[in-house]
Amino acid sequence: MPATLRDIADEVGTSITTVSKVLNGKEIRVSEIKRQEILDAAERLKYLPNISGVNLRKGCTDLVAVIVGDLLYPYYAKLLKELSCLISARGKSVIVCDIDNDEEAEFKHYQRLKSGYVDGAIIVPPPFNRSVKNIQRSTAILDGIDLPVITLFGDGGVLYPDYSTVGTNSLKCGYMATKHLIDLGHRRIAYLSESRGDGSINPRMEGYAMALEKAGIPYRPELVATGYTRYAGGRAAYRALAEQKMTAVVCSSDMLAIGFSNEAIAAGCQIPGDCSVIGMDNIMATEYNVPQITTVSQNVGELARLAVRELFKALEERRQGRKPEICHIQIEPELVVRSSTAPPVGQGARL
């Protein structure tokens, strides 16, 4: 059983009130010798303060929950690191909740926020589960939570109108990636996505379709593959798409792009000679892959900075008894051209 204030008071022969004030750094008329005795006894007895009681008196927990889609994705890990550093610099600690692409786990993490174990939350939902039904259920849970919540999700103003959101224009990411390939001369362009098909909200794929339409290129369903995740998903998607003879592919994440290009090369396809490959997110691995992967950057550092700024602004408004204003912030994506994209010169990807 952990030591109590009474145990320390009995140990040094003083009152519980004196012990409490000394350990909490409050002013009290006590000799320096007695103060040191109390501190030494607390350390010797391994005293731990009652955090719940401390939080109750302070009116806050000094904890922020960061709920992320899948920590095996380097994008989420990098974003979490940026968020953690910024939150710590403002004097609060981070509790990490990994959804792991599991819809039920996602809802459970949201439900736990109702207990008030944190002061606020930043939610980075996975793109795989985004559907009208999923968002309706998510917001139904979040509506019952009396805490500042920031959602880090592109196009959040449309999907989460009642919550502050920070994100990159997802439709523009898909459009920019596809237009880059069109500008290089590609016409038979495939699309590879983590999103799980029917009912999913997939603005990046909408951007892909928009770029094709503007260029007068027909949308071909046989060139679209959905429901693939991580590196292994990229490899499997290459095997599923190779017979379609595309000359380029837009991948909705860099992990898919790397898996796709590596499987293509293993099958004898030259990247970018036979098939150009572009990803999204600009994770570190894109610079070290062979070939280096062209990608669309979301500027993770800026996303984290804005999300933390808005969360702490909302926390301050709440502390002063005011209702925080809802905001929707979007930043512009940036095309990062590397060696995995080039004008078409071959006959398309092949097995």
Side-chain angles (χ1 to χ4, degrees), residues 8 22-23 32 34-44:
I8 298 171
V22 168
L23 294 181
E32 189 58 37
K34 181 60 70 175
R35 182 187 301 275
Q36 194 57 52
E37 283 182 12
I38 292 170
L39 294 175
D40 290 344
E43 182 176 357
R44 184 171 62 256

Side-chain angles (χ1 to χ4, degrees), residues 178-234:
T178 309
K179 187 176 184 302
H180 169 66
L181 297 173
I182 292 171
D183 289 344
L184 288 172
H186 294 277
R187 292 297 178 268
R188 196 165 177 83
I189 303 169
Y191 187 83
L192 172 56
S193 173
E194 295 108 331
S195 184
R196 290 174 177 158
D198 293 343
S200 294
I201 295 171
N202 195 342
R204 290 184 176 183
M205 193 164 76
E206 291 175 21
Y208 158 79
M210 180 184 294
L212 293 179
E213 183 180 4
K214 285 193 174 184
I217 301 171
Y219 175 91
R220 296 183 173 89
E222 68 271 19
L223 291 178
V224 175
T226 60
Y228 293 90
T229 61
R230 301 175 180 165
Y231 297 116

